[in-house]
């Protein structure tokens, strides 16, 4: 069993900052990419940022220069530092880990439970 637990999020004023964390636990052999998605009311889920096992990153155009994704492999944790937040960043944020639970096993995507981020004055 693998579990991803998110923390952080909440309510912040425009221009403010928040940090999300997502830690994986359970039967984990290896983790490839980690990432963050978000889903705003009435919209489809969209990818926000991804970081590979080698540390390469990619961001949605809407968050480039404002959000930073990072990972701590020793803790099986991915982070999303969000700066200069805008009202349009309001959404539920979901983390994901692409991982193997055993040597030679398949690569599967696991998801966190989601955290609400609200940007409002």
């Amino acid at each position: 069993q693998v579990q991803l637990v998110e923390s952080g999020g909440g309510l912040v004023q425009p221009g403010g900052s928040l940090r999300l964390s997502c830690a994986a636990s359970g039967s984990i052999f290896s983790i490839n990419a980690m990432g963050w998605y978000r889903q705003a009311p009435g919209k489809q889920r969209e990818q926000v940022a991804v970081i590979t096992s080698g540390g390469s990153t990619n961001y949605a155009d809407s968050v480039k220069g404002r959000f930073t994704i990072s990972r701590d492999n020793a803790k099986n944790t991915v982070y999303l530092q969000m700066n200069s937040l805008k009202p349009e960043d309001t959404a539920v944020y979901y983390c994901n880990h692409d991982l193997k639970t055993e040597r030679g096993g398949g690569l599967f995507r696991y998801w966190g439970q989601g955290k609400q981020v609200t940007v409002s004055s």
Side-chain angles (χ1 to χ4, degrees):
Q1 292 281 22
V2 175
Q3 187 177 18
L4 270 60
V5 177
E6 298 183 34
S7 59
L11 174 64
V12 66
Q13 292 186 343
S17 298
L18 284 174
R19 189 192 197 206
L20 299 175
S21 301
C22 173
S25 62
S27 179
I28 298 171
F29 175 74
S30 65
I31 303 176
N32 286 22
M34 300 179 182
W36 292 92
Y37 283 70
R38 67 185 180 186
Q39 186 165 20
K43 295 187 177 181
Q44 290 188 331
R45 187 177 295 191
E46 63 172 345
Q47 186 177 62
V48 175
V50 62
I51 184 167
T52 68
S53 57
S56 297
T57 59
N58 196 37
Y59 298 91
D61 288 342
S62 58
V63 307
K64 281 181 181 176
R66 301 188 297 121
F67 291 11
T68 302
I69 189 171
S70 60
R71 61 190 285 169
D72 184 334
N73 293 326
K75 297 181 178 179
N76 293 334
T77 299
V78 63
Y79 305 95
L80 187 68
Q81 178 66 43
M82 303 180 290
N83 299 328
S84 302
L85 282 161
K86 305 175 181 180
E88 52 263 43
D89 294 318
T90 296
V92 177
Y93 284 70
Y94 299 89
C95 65
N96 71 270
H97 287 33
D98 295 338
L99 62 87
K100 295 183 179 182
T101 57
E102 59 184 356
R103 184 187 297 273
L107 191 66
F108 295 96
R109 174 162 292 183
Y110 291 80
W111 292 92
Q113 79 277 18
K115 275 291 183 178
Q116 178 69 47
V117 171
T118 302
V119 185
S120 175
S121 55

